[in-house]
Amino acid sequence: MKRPIVFMGGINGSGKTTVLSSIIANNKEIGFIKGSEFFMKWLGVKKGDYKKLQSLPDKDVLKRQEEMIRYIINKKTFGKSKKIVIIDAHFINIRNGKAQEWVGDRISIMDVLLLIKANPADILRRIELDEKESVRNRNIFPVCADRKRKINLIKIFTGKNEHIFKKYARMYNKQNAIFLNKNGQSAKTAKRINKFLESI
């Protein structure tokens, strides 16, 4: 049987990486690829140099992403013992208050699509904490945006993200599921996802 490839998306701050870390810790049969880090290595961009990554033309980035995903799927040596591989990535790219579709037809290569959602206030809190602790500016919001504007933008991003997720799930008839990651409940979210993955 073909090893399932799961594409898990969620906007910045949805807690996706924390949930995935919990999934991996409790299920040794799942392999995990952090899309952004793997992609930077693939492009030859220094780890953590998001400014360089964001400066690349979107058209070129999308083309190289497809190459990378095809490589991951066809790489016979990756996680031989793993029954499922999860790619941690994005359905949309958010920059300076604008969201752009970030997947395209390469989603057809995937076997399962998952979406992680979260409360807008929780998302904003995670983004602000991440930027404070890592001294990293994701350039998600316009420079002058206040808290109310940021929350409204997150609602818009969340809606667009879910719309694109559902569009591709329908278009390619992919097995799919949406999980709400409530504040402080990442471990519970991970358990629900693990249960879903066991049914694949």
Side-chain angles (χ1 to χ4, degrees):
M1 182 182 172
K2 179 178 176 286
R3 178 177 58 197
I5 306 293
V6 178
F7 188 98
M8 180 179 284
I11 70 170
N12 303 86
S14 59
K16 189 162 39 76
T17 302
T18 304
V19 169
L20 274 167
S21 297
S22 185
I23 290 172
I24 303 308
N26 291 287
N27 193 333
K28 303 303 179 186
E29 294 183 335
I30 294 179
F32 164 42
I33 296 172
K34 183 158 179 58
S36 57
E37 289 182 8
F38 194 96
F39 188 49
M40 290 173 88
K41 187 176 180 181
W42 177 262
L43 292 174
V45 174
K46 186 179 176 182
K47 185 178 178 180
D49 190 357
Y50 290 93
K51 191 171 280 188
K52 172 70 175 176
L53 184 62
Q54 290 174 350
S55 71
L56 300 174
D58 289 342
K59 190 176 180 181
D60 292 345
V61 168
L62 290 171
K63 181 181 178 183
R64 295 301 305 277
Q65 277 185 337
E66 181 167 354
E67 292 171 1
M68 179 195 77
I69 289 171
R70 289 186 183 279
Y71 168 80
I72 290 169
I73 291 170
N74 294 322
K75 190 179 179 188
K76 306 298 182 186
T77 57
F78 176 81
K80 268 187 176 179
S81 63
K82 309 299 184 183
K83 290 187 177 178
I84 296 173
V85 175
I86 298 177
I87 299 176
D88 168 12
H90 294 278
F91 290 100
I92 60 174
N93 179 43
I94 303 170
R95 197 182 303 170
N96 298 320
K98 296 180 181 178
Q100 176 189 3
E101 185 173 316
W102 206 237
V103 281
D105 292 337
R106 63 185 177 281
I107 276 290
S108 64
I109 306 167
M110 305 298 162
D111 299 297
V112 180
L113 306 183
L114 298 183
L115 179 66
I116 303 291
K117 292 176 61 177
N119 180 280
D122 292 341
I123 289 173
L124 181 58
R125 179 185 54 79
R126 290 188 190 113
I127 290 171
E128 291 176 339
L129 184 62
D130 180 49
E131 290 182 345
K132 183 180 178 181
E133 291 183 346
S134 66
V135 196
R136 169 185 167 192
N137 187 354
R138 294 175 182 266
N139 295 320
I140 291 173
F141 307 109
V143 178
C144 59
D146 60 13
R147 179 178 176 76
K148 184 178 179 182
R149 174 66 174 149
K150 288 178 180 178
I151 291 288
N152 285 336
L153 283 170
I154 289 171
K155 289 176 181 177
I156 292 169
F157 300 152
T158 299
K160 182 165 187 177
N161 198 47
E162 187 168 348
H163 171 75
I164 290 169
F165 165 82
K166 288 179 176 177
K167 179 179 84 170
Y168 283 98
R170 284 194 306 267
M171 186 184 298
Y172 294 112
N173 194 28
K174 297 294 180 183
Q175 188 172 357
N176 65 91
I178 298 174
F179 295 90
L180 178 62
N181 183 31
K182 294 182 180 179
N183 186 33
Q185 296 187 15
S186 294
K188 288 184 178 180
T189 305
K191 279 186 179 180
R192 293 199 305 272
I193 294 173
N194 257 324
K195 189 172 181 181
F196 171 82
L197 294 173
E198 286 171 4
S199 69
I200 295 176

